[in-house]
Amino acid sequence: MKKRKLKNFNNIPNHVAVIMDGNGRWAEKRGLKRNMGHRKGADRLYEILMASLEVGVKVLTVYAFSVENWKRPQAEVDYLMTEATNFLKKHESDIISKEIRVIVIGEDDRIPDYLREKKYYYMDLTKDYNKMTFVIALNYGSHQELVQMVKKISEKVKTNEIDINDINEQTVEENLYTKGLPPVDLMIRTSGEIRVSNFLLWQLSYAEMYFTKVLWPDFNKKEYYKALEEYQLRQRRFGGLTK
Ligand code: FPP
């Protein structure tokens, strides 16, 4: 079978964000336990990370675990925590050799110690790499991120570090978990759900949205190229007029 390639490399999104949805349904459809969907989903994630590096996407941000996901059965939560840790262990040497910077965003509370340790170990290990940035949103919620941003800025106003009249968009950006990262250009959600689910609300403000019915464990490189090709055809006006 002929391997499908991206047709052209013009207008590649700088920052792609992905809601990797549909792991559970993928497994259930095959009579498997939901965790098998997460297992397959983790492999797809690596495939998409590598494809991003190949085509020149500079930042890939993925929604691995939301603050709402704690509502799931404990066994599934435990599995997801282990899967994320295993993913980081399994691909460590590859990520280093490819000089990918890894950032984990989200709250630290409730995350098991072994994963929290891995998070800081990885961020420190890869902090000087710049071939690409891989952002894992783990125990992440956009509302929580915005609340902590307001608290951080308020604290700086209280201690006279900044004047209230100097607060602007840049101040907000500098106090988000995504500090220093570019805005999202393309947001992909798999599995047919058409919503944003508390993901990067500030950062997505001008992103192009791509929704597909394909379940995340089936979202291979070919599907990713389809999303990128659709993005390449979009006209982004950022509120202005087309030239
Ligand atoms: C949504 O599918 C997916 C998740 C909540 C977890 C995503 C995690 C991975 C792809 C693998 C592990 C993560 C890393 C960082 C390696 P769902 O379970 O909500 O599917 P459903 O809607 O069909 O039930």
Side-chain angles (χ1 to χ4, degrees):
M1 206 175 77
K2 208 170 142 236
K3 245 186 153 185
R4 196 172 178 283
K5 293 238 165 12
L6 190 63
K7 286 188 198 115
N8 82 70
F9 286 77
N10 300 324
N11 194 23
I12 296 289
N14 200 29
H15 187 170
V16 177
V18 187
I19 302 182
M20 311 180 284
D21 200 3
N23 293 351
R25 276 164 284 168
W26 182 91
E28 282 157 10
K29 260 174 55 182
R30 287 164 175 76
L32 301 170
K33 295 234 165 72
R34 291 176 54 82
N35 288 348
M36 290 305 101
H38 298 313
R39 178 80 283 291
K40 181 78 180 168
D43 289 341
R44 281 298 178 211
L45 174 56
Y46 195 67
E47 181 179 338
I48 299 308
L49 174 64
M50 288 303 107
S52 302
L53 186 66
E54 275 163 36
V55 301
V57 167
K58 280 290 173 199
V59 185
L60 175 72
T61 301
V62 296
Y63 210 179
F65 193 90
S66 74
V67 287
E68 287 82 18
N69 287 151
W70 295 107
K71 293 180 202 145
R72 295 188 177 207
Q74 192 57 42
E76 186 169 341
V77 168
D78 292 345
Y79 188 86
L80 282 165
M81 296 297 147
T82 317
E83 196 58 50
T85 313
N86 289 344
F87 178 94
L88 292 172
K89 279 191 197 152
K90 183 174 168 188
H91 301 294
E92 185 173 320
S93 58
D94 231 23
I95 284 177
I96 292 171
S97 70
K98 293 186 161 61
E99 297 179 31
I100 299 173
R101 177 176 166 219
V102 177
I103 300 177
V104 182
I105 58 170
E107 312 286 330
D108 269 340
D109 67 312
R110 300 183 76 181
I111 297 216
D113 293 346
Y114 60 84
L115 182 52
R116 198 178 320 109
E117 278 162 25
K118 200 88 195 140
K119 161 176 171 174
Y120 287 103
Y121 162 77
Y122 238 91
M123 290 206 286
D124 189 52
L125 185 73
T126 63
K127 66 179 187 308
D128 296 322
Y129 295 153
N130 60 9
K131 287 272 180 342
M132 185 189 161
T133 303
F134 176 41
V135 185
I136 305 173
L138 183 83
N139 194 16
Y140 173 87
S142 197
H143 285 180
Q144 285 75 359
E145 180 182 32
L146 296 172
V147 168
Q148 69 80 38
M149 172 272 293
V150 172
K151 284 185 181 164
K152 270 166 97 178
I153 296 177
S154 307
E155 193 60 40
K156 288 176 191 168
V157 171
K158 203 168 101 185
T159 56
N160 293 324
E161 205 180 310
I162 48 175
D163 187 292
I164 197 160
N165 296 309
D166 292 335
I167 296 174
N168 56 24
E169 291 187 18
Q170 199 188 334
T171 324
V172 170
E173 266 159 22
E174 282 169 359
N175 288 281
L176 294 173
Y177 299 141
T178 51
K179 174 184 176 177
L181 296 174
V184 177
D185 298 301
L186 170 65
M187 201 285 279
I188 299 172
R189 183 172 190 151
T190 57
S191 92
E193 310 292 351
I194 305 188
R195 53 177 175 267
V196 177
S197 301
N198 202 14
F199 188 45
L200 303 174
L201 300 178
W202 172 279
Q203 298 86 340
L204 288 178
S205 37
Y206 277 101
E208 295 296 321
M209 302 289 184
Y210 180 85
F211 296 100
T212 172
K213 290 208 165 103
V214 174
L215 304 174
W216 176 253
D218 289 328
F219 192 83
N220 54 19
K221 241 167 137 169
K222 188 174 148 200
E223 291 297 333
Y224 189 40
Y225 293 160
K226 268 198 226 167
L228 295 175
E229 279 161 7
E230 181 164 324
Y231 173 86
Q232 289 172 320
L233 296 174
R234 301 257 180 109
Q235 290 212 352
R236 303 185 75 195
R237 292 191 293 274
F238 300 96
L241 300 174
T242 314
K243 278 193 200 114

